[in-house]
Amino acid sequence: MLSGDVAALTEAIIVCESVSGNEAALADAVESALQNLGGLSLHRDGDTIIARTETGASERIILAGHLDTVPLPTTPGSRGTVPPRWEQAEGHDVLYGRGATDMKGGVAVQLKLAEDVAAHLAAGGSLDRDITWVFYDHEEVEASKSGLGRVMRTVPELLDGDFAVLLEPTHGVVEGGCNGTCRFEVTIPGVAAHSGRAWMGQNAIHGTAGLLRVLSDYAPQTITVEGLEYREGLNAVRIRGGVAGNVIPDSTVVEINYRFAPDKTEEQAHAHVREVLAAAGIGEEKLRVTDSSAAARPGLDHPAAKAFIAAVGGEPMPKYGWTDVARFSARGVPAVNFGPGDPLLAHSDDEHVTAQAVRDCHTALHRWLLGG
């Protein structure tokens, strides 16, 4: 699985479809590949695989990435699906497929680095830092299902370290911290009736108009935290309601997602959403928090982060989405995002990554870990 080019390895990983909840086959393949390398201690927890060197080095770094993807696109003609395919664009080899950007290119780099390190040790080389690789399940769904969160609860000592790199897509530059995220469900009540006698009921779908207007008019902020500008967002992301084509709906649920800058705690973020929704007449009785994850401050002034930035180069940027840098930061492990691919393509119908982007990321991390 690990032989050959890291871009070809990315293709092989995309072929193994792993929408959240369906990571087992890919986790099996990753575990088998790591077992074949030798020289690594392995631990499996569900569909999360952890591999560690144990050389006794004075420091330990963590390379982490999730195995799962969002669902496959349903738009006809979408190229960011499974199986993947290669195309040529402006002289570049471009790989289209679900997870190409988020984040199977990063997972391929992780695996290739494991092969590099194992070969280095087998040849009698030494490490300045021990390394922990984490390949985990259920990142693209609610936080309660996270494989990384599960391991942090059950065997947290396996995730001890001095510095962590999340190989999320960052266009090959360091992205510091991350926005927080929280989701709410707003239930709009109505009264059911026959649609031929609609005046006898109260249409719950129509009742969402005030809420949707407030969300449409909302002006998200851009907030500077430790020199990086984080863009926020408050959006309706899902709506469900209705019984049949001849029934006035008696209930509608609108799901709302707030992406908040790392100047706020989760509690402050929740309070802000409640304040905004109050303008639409939404009180506590109609509102339910369904998911919440804290933001992470950039922390780029930490010595380990400074050294990493110096090693890989580029001008640091903010991470607009949420990533597991927040989990590591909360445990006192400094963490940054650094991986191949354009983050703006994540979850898109034409998700893709260039072969060169994956190779460049591997080269930068190989140089940081092993020199040369």
Side-chain angles (χ1 to χ4, degrees):
M1 181 178 183
L2 302 184
S3 61
D5 179 37
V6 68
L9 178 57
T10 302
E11 179 185 15
I13 294 171
I14 296 173
V15 167
C16 193
E17 180 266 303
S18 57
V19 173
S20 302
N22 193 36
E23 298 98 328
L26 182 54
D28 289 345
V30 168
E31 182 179 27
S32 175
L34 294 171
Q35 285 174 334
N36 290 337
L37 291 179
L40 301 174
S41 65
L42 296 183
H43 176 87
R44 180 161 182 167
D45 184 312
D47 289 329
T48 290
I49 313 297
I50 299 170
R52 293 162 54 96
T53 63
E54 305 285 359
T55 69
S58 60
E59 291 184 279
R60 179 173 290 277
I61 61 98
I62 300 167
L63 303 176
H66 60 85
L67 300 176
D68 62 322
T69 73
V70 296
L72 304 184
T74 57
T75 305
S78 297
R79 293 181 291 178
T81 188
V82 177
R85 72 193 210 197
W86 287 99
E87 294 187 10
Q88 280 278 323
E90 299 179 355
H92 291 283
D93 294 318
V94 182
L95 178 61
Y96 285 83
R98 176 57 83 218
T101 302
D102 190 10
M103 56 169 290
K104 291 188 171 182
V107 170
V109 171
Q110 283 181 270
L111 283 169
K112 196 67 176 176
L113 290 169
E115 181 190 43
D116 297 344
V117 170
H120 176 77
L121 293 175
S126 61
L127 295 176
D128 294 332
R129 317 168 190 90
D130 268 314
I131 306 166
T132 299
W133 288 266
V134 188
F135 304 86
Y136 56 101
D137 59 288
H138 285 92
E139 191 270 352
E140 297 287 8
V141 290
E142 56 267 35
S144 60
K145 294 183 178 180
S146 167
L148 184 63
R150 185 177 63 247
V151 172
M152 285 185 173
R153 293 189 299 271
T154 57
V155 280
E157 63 275 13
L158 291 181
L159 299 176
D160 288 343
D162 299 289
F163 183 63
V165 178
L166 276 292
L167 279 90
E168 293 276 356
T170 67
H171 236 329
V173 299
V174 171
E175 289 186 344
C178 67
N179 276 342
T181 180
C182 51
R183 284 194 285 270
F184 297 76
E185 285 188 346
V186 178
T187 301
I188 306 297
V191 176
H194 194 296
S195 62
R197 294 174 288 278
W199 64 88
M200 297 298 295
Q202 180 179 336
N203 194 311
I205 292 178
H206 294 180
T208 66
L211 169 62
L212 296 179
R213 188 175 303 112
V214 165
L215 292 174
S216 178
D217 292 344
Y218 178 80
Q221 291 183 294
T222 296
I223 297 173
T224 301
V225 181
E226 298 176 11
L228 298 182
E229 294 187 344
Y230 292 84
R231 297 178 62 178
E232 296 194 327
L234 179 63
N235 294 281
V237 293
R238 188 179 304 172
I239 187 166
R240 62 182 186 271
V243 178
N246 59 354
V247 178
I248 298 300
D250 62 353
S251 180
T252 299
V253 177
V254 180
E255 185 176 350
I256 296 169
N257 182 213
Y258 179 39
R259 300 286 177 147
F260 56 94
D263 67 322
K264 298 178 183 66
T265 65
E266 288 177 85
E267 292 74 18
Q268 290 169 331
H270 296 180
H272 178 69
V273 173
R274 290 186 171 96
E275 180 182 357
V276 172
L277 298 189
I282 304 299
E284 286 290 335
E285 75 283 357
K286 296 179 180 178
L287 191 62
R288 183 171 71 94
V289 180
T290 60
D291 188 37
S292 185
S293 296
R297 298 182 73 87
L300 300 183
D301 58 348
H302 190 283
K306 285 184 174 180
F308 182 73
I309 293 167
V312 300
E315 184 69 25
M317 298 287 289
K319 172 58 77 176
Y320 296 129
W322 183 89
T323 77
D324 280 295
V325 296
R327 292 187 192 275
F328 284 107
S329 296
R331 295 188 75 237
V333 179
V336 298
N337 305 283
F338 180 80
D342 183 349
L344 297 179
L345 296 172
H347 304 183
S348 66
D349 283 354
D350 65 343
E351 187 175 358
H352 60 272
V353 68
T354 67
Q356 195 59 49
V358 181
R359 293 171 187 145
D360 287 348
C361 180
H362 169 257
T363 298
L365 290 175
H366 179 103
R367 184 173 59 244
W368 175 58
L369 292 172
L370 299 175

